[in-house]
Amino acid sequence: MARELKLGLQLGYWQAQPPEDIAGLCQEAERLGYDIVFTAESWGSDVFTPLTWVAAHTRRIRLGTAVAQLSARTPAATAMHALTLDHLSGGRLSLGLGVSGPQVVEGWYGQPFAKPVSRSREYIGIIRQILRREAPVQNEGPHYPLPYRGEGAWGMGRPLKPITHPLRANLPILLGAEGPKNVALAAELCDGWLPLYYSPFRQEVYADSLRGAKPGFEICAGLTFRITGDVQSGLAPVRTAIGFYIGGMGSRKRNFHKELMARMGYEAEAEEIQRLFLGGDRAAAIAAVPDDFCDEVSIVGPPERVRERLDAWRDTPVTHLLVFPGSREELRRIAELVLG
């Protein structure tokens, strides 16, 4: 049965300079009926500060992190950010978490990229403890032991409860995940999932991993949404982004995005994209990204084609489309087509 789709605005992370008029764009999205606005982080701007700015300039639109990188903060620090912003925004925060990848974790944060599934499980568990505030927080797992008793410890640490009472013990937690085990972890422990690539025509790719999802589980799929009479031109930025992620965001030995594309039925194409990219021919790598794959994970075309594509998305478990509009006018046109 076709379901209602909600809209989210994805601001992403900053490039060389902050984007202009973040507050104005979010105010317009709120007026048009967008449900949530997400920010991101990589190795530049952080994920929480822009949301605080947005919260101060809006009243109703929900606020989401997509994603707060696990290695950027301890679980307790992330919980402190979350409970603070949830209070300041009147209970509008959804906390999206993700492990990032070994290039960022080891190259930027200087930490080992080890056991992402068990690390995520511990991290989420500690945040849940803090938000519930039922007892002093303890964790005996190997990744985030609380209290810390390891090398260099003074032996004076003791379990603590947050001084500030969280506004919501059930603050929503979403997980950005690609691998089957991490997606299954999102369904088991979290209130939602943030996929990288989702195709309404290949729902079987994630079906088994999502079987444990509870009622109300949100799937917020980020995608390029362009209303244009020139489909090929509209798909060009999709092709460029996919070529970069499949070709360069990882190593020849391990690239999670490449592995996902292979699971989605494009193994040979993913291999060729990576071969060309790592060989130094980025233009050829981008050109090798198949039209069909670009089209499946985006919504591009004139209004009548967009409506057909939206029907396919409504027949999936996806609850939100996260869009990256280039202007307020595009923000409005997307709202008209999706929300009516």
Side-chain angles (χ1 to χ4, degrees):
M1 179 182 294
R3 64 196 300 170
E4 176 188 359
L5 282 171
K6 296 179 181 180
L7 279 175
L9 172 62
Q10 174 57 280
L11 296 178
Y13 47 78
W14 296 357
Q15 300 301 314
Q17 298 295 326
E20 296 181 0
D21 196 22
I22 292 174
L25 188 66
C26 293
Q27 288 170 340
E28 181 68 2
E30 182 175 70
R31 187 187 70 79
L32 291 168
Y34 282 66
D35 181 61
I36 192 166
V37 54
F38 280 97
T39 56
E41 62 186 6
S42 54
W43 51 94
S45 61
D46 80 280
V47 74
F48 286 106
T49 308
L51 280 185
T52 306
W53 181 254
V54 172
H57 290 83
T58 56
R59 295 184 177 183
R60 298 180 306 278
I61 197 166
R62 295 165 60 201
L63 313 165
T65 57
V67 293
Q69 297 174 338
L70 267 61
S71 297
R73 308 161 190 87
T74 65
T78 297
M80 290 166 67
H81 279 293
L83 73 84
T84 303
L85 183 50
D86 203 44
H87 269 292
L88 291 174
S89 66
R92 288 190 277 156
L93 181 66
S94 291
L95 179 61
L97 303 169
V99 295
S100 189
Q103 286 181 312
V104 176
V105 171
E106 298 182 357
W108 182 249
Y109 296 118
Q111 299 179 33
F113 187 83
K115 302 184 182 300
V117 176
S118 61
R119 275 196 299 123
S120 297
R121 181 180 293 277
E122 272 190 41
Y123 202 100
I124 293 165
I126 292 170
I127 291 175
R128 293 285 195 202
Q129 283 192 62
I130 292 171
L131 294 176
R132 288 195 298 265
R133 203 180 179 275
E134 295 173 345
V137 179
Q138 299 185 69
N139 183 61
E140 296 182 358
H143 303 293
Y144 306 103
L146 290 174
Y148 179 72
R149 304 295 189 198
E151 183 180 354
W154 284 28
M156 298 170 62
R158 60 187 179 89
L160 300 169
K161 289 199 295 185
I163 297 170
T164 307
H165 292 226
L167 182 64
R168 294 182 296 165
N170 61 344
L171 186 152
I173 295 178
L174 295 80
L175 190 64
E178 295 177 68
K181 292 181 179 179
N182 246 0
V183 176
L185 184 71
E188 175 192 352
L189 295 182
C190 298
D191 305 286
W193 171 47
L194 296 155
L196 176 63
Y197 301 131
Y198 190 96
S199 168
F201 310 104
R202 300 175 189 267
Q203 297 183 47
E204 69 281 359
V205 173
Y206 296 113
D208 287 343
S209 297
L210 292 171
R211 292 194 194 282
K214 59 189 175 183
F217 188 80
E218 294 185 323
I219 300 178
C220 303
L223 78 170
T224 296
F225 195 129
R226 291 290 179 269
I227 305 165
T228 174
D230 186 344
V231 174
Q232 283 301 310
S233 175
L235 289 175
V238 184
R239 190 186 318 280
T240 299
I242 291 173
F244 179 72
Y245 270 74
I246 304 303
M249 290 297 284
S251 70
R252 195 178 300 277
K253 292 191 299 181
R254 198 73 195 268
N255 180 318
F256 301 130
H257 316 306
K258 172 175 166 281
E259 292 167 12
L260 171 57
M261 187 176 179
R263 289 196 300 275
M264 295 178 74
Y266 293 90
E267 183 174 5
E269 293 88 342
E271 290 285 350
E272 179 65 3
I273 294 165
Q274 186 186 67
R275 184 188 70 80
L276 291 167
F277 194 97
L278 296 182
D281 196 342
R282 296 191 176 191
I286 291 168
V289 178
D291 289 348
D292 288 348
F293 186 71
C294 295
D295 203 23
E296 285 185 35
V297 300
S298 64
I299 298 177
V300 173
E304 57 274 17
R305 187 175 194 268
V306 166
R307 291 188 184 97
E308 291 176 1
R309 292 284 169 164
L310 286 171
D311 286 341
W313 282 91
R314 290 189 177 101
D315 284 323
T316 74
V318 169
T319 58
H320 292 69
L321 301 179
L322 308 187
V323 301
F324 310 77
S327 65
R328 292 196 191 193
E329 174 61 18
E330 192 169 44
L331 195 74
R332 181 188 63 77
R333 295 183 70 195
I334 292 172
E336 288 175 349
L337 285 167
V338 178
L339 305 177

